[in-house]
């Protein structure tokens, strides 16, 4: 080899080595720059919380997930080995402490296929609560007991049903603003049946005036109120201002607000965000998909109520006596919680039968497929009770007599003979 070409070869090798070293240095510089940027971003991160990526129109899911991630009562009760949704929730709650997360695994586990379609946040919450293990969802489960009594005090009808959310109608008063406390009081106010609406009482053996009352048989640890902003029948919605109380008193328990899911925009679309007070600090944050910011004007900073024209779900946490001390009621017909709204609008007809007036106030879903899917996820307990085997006492006596005869004929008679 010519010395020049050898030199050239050597120079070429050196140059390649130099270029490779430079490339390595430049990529390591780039990596360290990215690291620096990440560290700087973490250092200068305004909030200690992270957001969720929107897959298209999944802001309803993001808002509900953020509320659930701040509901620590369910975290330790998730059963990842039993339910895939429990597993995915556990994963995302853990990751959310460190970074912004994607929700593809969650939508998959919930059976949500069309992520470009807006859905109702309340139904999404119920879907999740129906999918996860009962132990985990227990914190959200309450029971409503409906009792109808005639004017003589006879119980005409009594049933207890579980619920996830209590729906409050925003149409029930003509005031310019809607008071949540008044709405809740009206929800539990007894209804009278008289005149043409009198009810047949089997003990009085005639139609009689009656009163139907509703009580919270079991107070949930987490009480969720649904503000009925949507009128699906007339395809309208209301942005009526709601006075949200910081705390509620119900059945001797105090409930403190820690989460709000807001809806802005049109009936069929719009956008959801969540405003949450994490238990570890005293600051309200707004979770808007990937963006998380401190709420500029902190709710309840100066007053005990907060005015909102977008609040849709209000999530309260019970303080005081633990749930274990609350006696579970006997449930007559543990129908799915999704029908609480319908059940509350029950009318007892003239002959004492019960009819249901359906007046959904939730955001409509395009097509019945999704509704069916949501309802499919619901648990219906004791709808088809197992038939109980009861034997008549005469049959039992006959079997005993035949048994004695058998013993006499087969055992005692040969001995005598
Ligand atoms: Zn009666």
């Amino acid at each position: 080899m010519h010395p020049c070409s050898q030199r050239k070869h050597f120079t070429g090798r050196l140059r390649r080595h130099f270029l490779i070293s430079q490339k390595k240095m430049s990529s390591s510089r780039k990596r360290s720059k990215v690291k620096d940027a990440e560290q700087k971003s973490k250092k200068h991160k305004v909030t200690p919380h992270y957001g969720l990526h929107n897959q298209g129109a999944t802001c309803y899911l993001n808002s509900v997930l953020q509320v659930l991630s701040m509901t620590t009562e369910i975290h330790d009760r998730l059963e990842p080995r039993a339910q895939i949704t429990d597993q995915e929730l556990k994963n995302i709650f853990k990751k959310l402490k460190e970074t912004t997360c994607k929700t593809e695994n969650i939508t998959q586990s919930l059976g949500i296929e069309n992520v470009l379609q807006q859905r109702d946040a309340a139904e999404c919450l119920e879907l999740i609560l129906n999918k996860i293990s009962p132990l985990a969802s227990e914190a959200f489960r309450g029971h409503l007991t409906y009792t109808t009594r005639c004017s003589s005090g006879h119980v005409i009808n009594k049933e207890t049903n579980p619920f996830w959310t209590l729906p409050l109608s925003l149409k029930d008063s003509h005031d310019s603003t809607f008071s949540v406390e008044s709405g809740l009081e009206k929800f539990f106010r007894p209804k009278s049946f008289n005149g043409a609406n009198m009810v047949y009482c089997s003990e009085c053996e005639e139609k009689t005036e009656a009163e139907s009352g509703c009580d919270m048989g079991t107070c949930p640890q987490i009480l969720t109120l649904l503000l009925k902003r949507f009128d699906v029948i007339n395809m309208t919605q209301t942005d009526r201002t709601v006075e949200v109380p910081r705390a509620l008193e119900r059945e001797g328990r105090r409930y403190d607000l820690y989460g709000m899911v807001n809806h802005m925009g049109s009936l069929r679309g719009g956008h959801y965000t969540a405003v949450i007070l994490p238990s570890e600090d005293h600051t309200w944050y707004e979770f808007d998909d990937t963006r998380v910011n401190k709420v500029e004007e902190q709710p309840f900073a100066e007053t005990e109520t907060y005015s909102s024209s977008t609040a849709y779900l209000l999530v309260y946490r019970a303080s005081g006596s633990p749930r274990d001390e609350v006696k579970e009621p006997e449930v007559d017909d543990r129908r799915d919680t999704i029908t609480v709204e319908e059940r509350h609008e029950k009318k007892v007809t003239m002959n004492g039968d019960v009819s249901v007036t359906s007046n959904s106030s939730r955001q409509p879903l395009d097509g019945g497929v999704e509704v069916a899917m949501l309802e499919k996820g619901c648990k219906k307990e004791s709808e088809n009770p197992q038939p109980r085997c009861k034997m008549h006492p005469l049959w039992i006596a006959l079997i005993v007599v035949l048994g004695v005869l058998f013993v006499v004929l087969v055992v005692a008679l040969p001995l005598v003979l």
Side-chain angles (χ1 to χ4, degrees):
M1 192 183 282
H2 195 273
C4 284
S5 70
Q6 197 176 9
R7 191 169 161 242
K8 208 175 175 181
H9 177 69
F10 181 67
T11 314
R13 275 176 62 193
L14 261 181
R15 187 176 288 155
R16 270 202 301 279
H17 179 71
F18 176 73
L19 285 173
I20 289 167
S21 305
Q22 270 214 323
K23 259 189 182 175
K24 276 185 182 170
M25 276 176 69
S26 135
S27 64
S28 84
R29 254 187 235 135
K30 267 185 192 168
R31 273 202 301 274
S32 74
K33 268 187 183 175
V34 171
K35 261 191 178 177
D36 284 353
E38 278 178 0
Q39 275 172 356
K40 269 186 186 173
S41 128
K42 279 191 177 175
K43 202 174 174 182
H44 294 108
K45 196 174 183 309
V46 186
T47 77
H49 306 289
Y50 292 89
L52 291 162
H53 288 285
N54 192 328
Q55 294 184 52
T58 53
C59 52
Y60 65 94
L61 172 71
N62 290 350
S63 304
V64 168
L65 284 176
Q66 290 289 8
V67 170
L68 292 177
S69 82
M70 299 296 174
T71 309
T72 49
E73 286 84 351
I74 67 167
H75 292 198
D76 294 336
R77 294 178 163 215
L78 289 168
E79 297 180 299
R81 287 181 186 175
Q83 303 284 347
I84 183 69
T85 309
D86 288 42
Q87 175 68 62
E88 296 303 342
L89 285 182
K90 208 169 179 85
N91 289 346
I92 206 162
F93 293 160
K94 192 180 172 191
K95 282 185 196 164
L96 265 177
K97 288 177 182 164
E98 295 164 1
T99 187
T100 304
C101 295
K102 291 183 174 181
T103 57
E104 277 78 359
N105 289 350
I106 298 281
T107 45
Q108 202 180 341
S109 80
L110 294 175
I112 297 171
E113 288 172 4
N114 187 356
V115 292
L116 301 175
Q117 187 179 62
Q118 179 72 277
R119 284 164 175 266
D120 182 271
E123 289 192 357
C124 177
L125 172 66
E126 292 175 355
L127 174 64
I128 294 173
L129 294 173
N130 283 324
K131 285 266 184 187
I132 61 176
S133 61
L135 187 68
S137 61
E138 193 190 7
F140 282 82
R141 190 186 300 114
H143 288 93
L144 289 177
T145 302
Y146 295 89
T147 312
T148 306
R149 281 191 168 85
C150 77
S151 52
S152 302
H154 303 131
V155 175
I156 296 170
N157 185 46
K158 184 175 183 178
E159 61 179 86
T160 299
N161 302 296
F163 71 90
W164 298 128
T165 59
L166 292 185
L168 302 184
S169 174
L170 299 195
K171 286 182 184 170
D172 284 357
S173 78
H174 300 291
D175 301 333
S176 58
T177 58
F178 175 84
S179 159
V180 170
E181 278 178 317
S182 303
L184 200 60
E185 188 270 326
K186 193 165 185 181
F187 183 90
F188 288 101
R189 194 181 297 162
K191 291 174 181 66
S192 297
F193 298 95
N194 44 42
N197 291 325
M198 284 207 299
V199 179
Y200 181 80
C201 171
S202 57
E203 290 193 55
C204 295
E205 295 184 333
E206 61 180 352
K207 282 175 191 168
T208 166
E209 290 185 349
E211 197 172 78
S212 181
C214 171
D215 296 303
M216 197 145 64
T218 309
C219 301
Q221 203 171 352
I222 306 295
L223 177 64
T224 309
L225 305 181
L226 187 160
L227 302 171
K228 294 165 72 175
R229 290 195 177 277
F230 306 113
D231 182 346
V232 177
I233 294 167
N234 299 313
M235 289 306 289
T236 56
Q237 72 176 97
T238 174
D239 54 359
R240 191 175 177 193
T241 302
V242 171
E243 289 296 321
V244 180
R246 183 209 294 263
L248 286 171
E249 289 284 338
R250 201 70 235 167
E251 313 288 341
R253 301 190 93 181
R254 180 190 159 98
Y255 283 93
D256 293 299
L257 186 78
Y258 73 98
M260 289 182 268
V261 172
N262 300 317
H263 181 267
M264 292 138 283
S266 69
L267 180 63
R268 285 196 169 271
H271 184 56
Y272 283 101
T273 62
V275 171
I276 307 171
L277 177 71
S279 52
E280 69 268 20
D281 67 44
H282 303 287
T283 308
W284 288 86
Y285 294 91
E286 186 183 34
F287 296 79
D288 181 357
D289 292 332
T290 51
R291 294 177 292 278
V292 184
N293 291 302
K294 280 183 186 176
V295 178
E296 271 186 32
E297 285 183 24
Q298 287 284 302
F300 313 108
E302 290 168 4
T303 54
E304 285 301 302
T305 56
Y306 171 68
S307 299
S308 171
S309 58
T310 56
Y312 179 51
L313 291 176
L314 304 175
V315 193
Y316 287 84
R317 175 181 279 117
S319 58
S321 59
R323 181 185 171 81
D324 295 346
E325 287 177 18
V326 180
K327 196 184 164 191
E328 288 275 338
E330 280 182 25
V331 179
D332 303 329
D333 174 19
R334 299 189 71 188
R335 287 282 305 278
D336 164 55
T337 50
I338 210 161
T339 58
V340 164
E341 192 175 332
E342 294 175 333
R343 293 187 154 257
H344 197 70
E345 287 160 15
K346 259 179 210 175
K347 285 181 181 172
V348 180
T349 55
M350 296 285 282
N351 59 4
D353 289 339
V354 174
S355 68
V356 175
T357 308
S358 175
N359 181 20
S360 178
S361 67
R362 296 173 186 198
Q363 205 177 0
L365 303 170
D366 289 335
V369 180
E370 277 71 22
V371 177
M373 190 278 291
L374 286 169
E375 287 179 347
K376 206 175 165 187
C378 304
K379 293 167 188 168
K380 297 205 171 187
E381 300 167 58
S382 306
E383 264 208 322
N384 299 306
Q386 293 293 317
R388 279 181 293 174
C389 182
K390 262 190 171 180
M391 197 175 273
H392 197 279
L394 279 175
W395 279 109
I396 297 169
L398 189 66
I399 288 167
V400 171
V401 170
L402 285 173
V404 171
L405 272 174
F406 177 80
V407 171
V408 169
L409 287 171
V410 176
V411 181
L413 204 61
L415 284 175
V416 173
L417 292 172

